[in-house]
Amino acid sequence: MSTAVDAAVAAQYEALPYPHRDPRDERKRLIIGSPSHLQEIEEKVFGGRWPDRPVRILIAGGGSGDAVTMLAQQLAWAGRAAAITYLDPSHAARAVAEARIAARGLDAPGPVTVRFETGSLLDLPSAGHAPFDYIDCCGVLHHLDDPDTGLSALTRVLAPQGGIGLMLYGHYGRRGVYDVQAILRTLAAVGSPKERVAQAKRVLNQLPPTNWLRRNGVIRDHLDGGDAGLFDLLLHARDRAYTVPDWFAFVARAGLRHADWVEPARYRLATYVTDPAVLKRAEGLSPEAEAALAEQIAGNLARHAGYLVRVDNPVAPPPPGDPDAIPAYKDIDPQRLLAAMDRGGRLTVGQEGLDIALALPTIAPALLPRIDGQKPWRVLLAEVKALRKDLTDDTLARAGEQTARLLGGIGRLTQRYPAP
């Protein structure tokens, strides 16, 4: 282990907690993200059925508190009991996260409790924690000297039927980042964090339009993330990026398996390729091989976010359009979906510089407003059939499956099963 590099990483997050957050802003907004959105965890980790007991949750490397604040608030709104442990080595970041939880009143006694700890996730196996039902580890492992040891530590404190929400940097979408990191190791390597950021800004202002970072419109943290964002992106003492094959190999070495991506559509060839002759050449590819090819074609996956379970855990998300599954929108107004559709029923969504066109079924105008997070597909499609008696049951079932697959693929729809 590189003690000097570890010390530099620790000093960075004490000086510039990441991401930069003001606890006073909790009065006016809740930052939503993935992984670790409550609906996603229920669907992808627990197979659409939230456990009928209090759950134990670990936020491993919680930073300034985005994940712990979002998940604690969502659990409280849903009335679900949970004990959350926040863990991070930075005292400064922990202070911000604690203030955000307090600003929302989530530090008061209730069914959701949040306990804050300062320390390394590498020490978890010896810390005496009971197994966790869910572990969030977002943007952490790729900064470790040995990421495999980090993921192994998390796996050792994961409950048998639990899951991990993981985010790692993506190789192709970060084009230009490592070029500029190398430049700044020469031109902005000396001084306090504040002085290094100031020097880095001077260097960035001199980069020509041909520089790969300037040409990469996906990467914005140095532009939108303040000094903490710039330092974390371009002056970090240690980070690495992963391709899709790297992701699957990394997961397998820890005795885990990939349950699902946060946005599965980004890892499907059909999202980017419409020529049947090209798609035919890819027939028979495994999901892993297809995802790797899709990543190379898209070129804009700056991060990979997905859910992992133990290799012997057979859980799976509900099949798209399962008649017994209950669909629910995730942070989007269905009327906005309808308004965004063209006359041909196509919906165009932006994905980090790329517009993706989705061909929703013709019944979408009748179906989408009926999705309320309470009715299963069986009931929803029956309501549409009452209006359109010319539609067969098979046609309706295919429409439900297509809707669930398309909207779920872009992270706008999840599915769950009713409580027993």
Side-chain angles (χ1 to χ4, degrees):
M1 180 178 292
S2 176
T3 304
V5 175
D6 289 336
V9 173
Q12 169 191 337
Y13 291 121
E14 292 296 346
L16 295 167
Y18 179 81
H20 174 71
R21 297 290 184 247
D22 185 340
R24 294 172 295 184
D25 291 338
E26 298 305 319
R27 302 169 188 164
K28 58 187 179 183
R29 58 95 180 97
L30 176 66
I31 293 177
I32 301 294
S34 295
S36 298
H37 191 288
L38 186 64
Q39 290 176 229
E40 292 174 1
I41 299 171
E42 181 173 43
E43 177 186 50
K44 300 175 186 293
V45 170
F46 298 126
R49 289 188 174 91
W50 192 266
D52 58 352
R53 55 174 172 76
V55 299
R56 291 176 50 80
I57 294 171
L58 170 68
I59 310 297
S64 54
D66 280 3
V68 70
T69 305
M70 174 186 73
L71 192 47
Q73 184 64 81
Q74 290 179 337
L75 285 162
W77 283 339
R80 290 174 172 163
I84 304 175
T85 298
Y86 162 104
L87 177 68
D88 197 275
S90 168
H91 295 272
R94 170 180 168 172
V96 176
E98 284 188 287
R100 294 175 69 183
I101 288 292
R104 290 185 165 272
L106 295 169
D107 57 339
V112 178
T113 62
V114 182
R115 184 177 72 172
F116 289 88
E117 295 185 7
T118 302
S120 169
L121 63 84
L122 298 176
D123 298 327
L124 281 167
S126 60
H129 289 287
F132 293 97
D133 300 294
Y134 178 70
I135 299 174
D136 170 278
C137 192
C138 186
V140 177
L141 297 182
H142 48 229
H143 292 312
L144 297 182
D145 179 60
D146 184 357
D148 284 88
T149 300
L151 187 55
S152 175
L154 298 180
T155 304
R156 290 169 64 186
V157 296
L158 179 67
Q161 303 304 311
I164 298 174
L166 180 68
M167 188 279 276
L168 300 173
Y169 291 148
H171 172 77
Y172 296 105
R174 282 170 70 83
R175 175 166 287 187
V177 169
Y178 299 105
D179 301 338
V180 174
Q181 283 188 6
I183 293 168
L184 296 181
R185 280 195 291 271
T186 298
L187 300 180
V190 179
S192 67
K194 182 177 180 180
E195 291 168 339
R196 293 182 66 196
V197 167
Q199 178 68 1
K201 288 178 179 178
R202 294 189 186 96
V203 175
L204 292 174
N205 286 336
Q206 298 299 303
L207 295 179
T210 51
N211 178 270
W212 277 113
L213 183 63
R214 288 283 303 274
R215 298 174 69 179
N216 187 346
V218 173
I219 301 297
R220 301 281 311 174
D221 221 15
H222 60 306
L223 302 174
D224 304 332
D227 289 354
L230 186 152
F231 200 108
D232 196 71
L233 179 72
L234 300 175
L235 294 169
H236 205 290
R238 180 171 57 216
D239 81 54
R240 67 198 74 199
Y242 291 72
T243 64
V244 163
D246 293 336
W247 169 283
F248 283 107
F250 181 52
V251 168
R253 288 194 298 271
L256 301 169
R257 69 174 178 86
H258 176 85
D260 205 0
W261 300 108
V262 166
E263 297 182 25
R266 305 190 74 172
Y267 298 87
R268 297 174 188 149
L269 281 183
T271 300
Y272 312 104
V273 177
T274 58
D275 187 326
V278 176
L279 289 173
K280 186 171 181 59
R281 289 294 183 96
E283 287 180 356
L285 288 178
S286 68
E288 293 82 0
E290 180 183 3
L293 200 55
E295 177 194 24
Q296 291 176 310
I297 290 173
N300 69 341
L301 296 181
R303 65 175 212 154
H304 300 301
Y307 292 90
L308 319 174
V309 296
R310 291 185 178 275
V311 71
D312 57 355
N313 181 352
V315 71
D322 183 337
D324 295 323
I326 299 171
Y329 292 113
K330 184 166 77 71
D331 307 318
I332 193 167
D333 181 351
Q335 295 302 322
R336 288 183 59 192
L337 281 177
L338 289 170
M341 290 172 57
D342 63 22
R343 292 184 178 181
R346 296 178 70 82
L347 175 69
T348 300
V349 295
Q351 296 280 16
E352 295 180 330
L354 177 66
D355 287 338
I356 298 174
L358 307 176
L360 291 169
T362 57
I363 67 167
L367 177 60
L368 297 186
R370 288 178 161 75
I371 296 175
D372 60 2
Q374 302 298 321
K375 301 173 186 173
W377 287 110
R378 187 187 312 280
V379 172
L380 294 167
L381 297 176
E383 290 179 355
V384 174
K385 186 175 183 180
L387 299 174
R388 293 279 307 276
K389 300 186 184 300
D390 58 310
L391 298 175
T392 66
D393 290 341
D394 286 346
T395 299
L396 287 164
R398 286 194 298 272
E401 187 277 336
Q402 183 183 9
T403 300
R405 181 176 173 82
L406 291 176
L407 295 184
I410 59 171
R412 296 294 184 267
L413 190 80
T414 59
Q415 298 182 122
R416 65 176 178 86
Y417 289 113

